[in-house]
Amino acid sequence: MSFIAKAAIAAVSLGLAAPALAEDPKPAEARPAAATSYRPSDTTRICVRETITGSRVPRMICNTMKGWKAQGVDPFQR
């Protein structure tokens, strides 16, 4: 058997055995998500992606938290 054929057989056998070796015998325990509310300072820049009707390209609108408050907009609710 040629070297190339042996190398191909070895690669295929290792490829088939790799998922079996990577299996975790015990499933990971589910951790509850930490309930934290993040409110940035007034100088933190926040960008929001907005889709415009009739366009396929979303537009990024960036403003500080102070600027969003001045407009009466909560960027976390958009």
Side-chain angles (χ1 to χ4, degrees):
M1 199 184 286
S2 71
F3 176 75
I4 295 174
K6 289 178 185 177
I9 291 172
V12 170
S13 64
L14 286 175
L16 293 175
L21 296 174
E23 256 183 64
D24 189 15
K26 293 185 278 183
E29 293 180 19
R31 293 184 201 162
T36 60
S37 61
Y38 171 71
R39 288 292 175 184
S41 67
D42 285 343
T43 58
T44 304
R45 189 176 182 100
I46 301 169
C47 295
V48 176
R49 183 175 294 173
E50 184 177 271
T51 56
I52 301 170
T53 304
S55 176
R56 293 183 183 175
V57 180
R59 192 172 106 184
M60 292 294 287
I61 302 172
C62 297
N63 207 346
T64 61
M65 191 64 187
K66 187 176 181 180
W68 288 114
K69 286 179 185 177
Q71 294 176 12
V73 176
D74 185 8
F76 297 107
Q77 298 298 322
R78 285 188 118 176

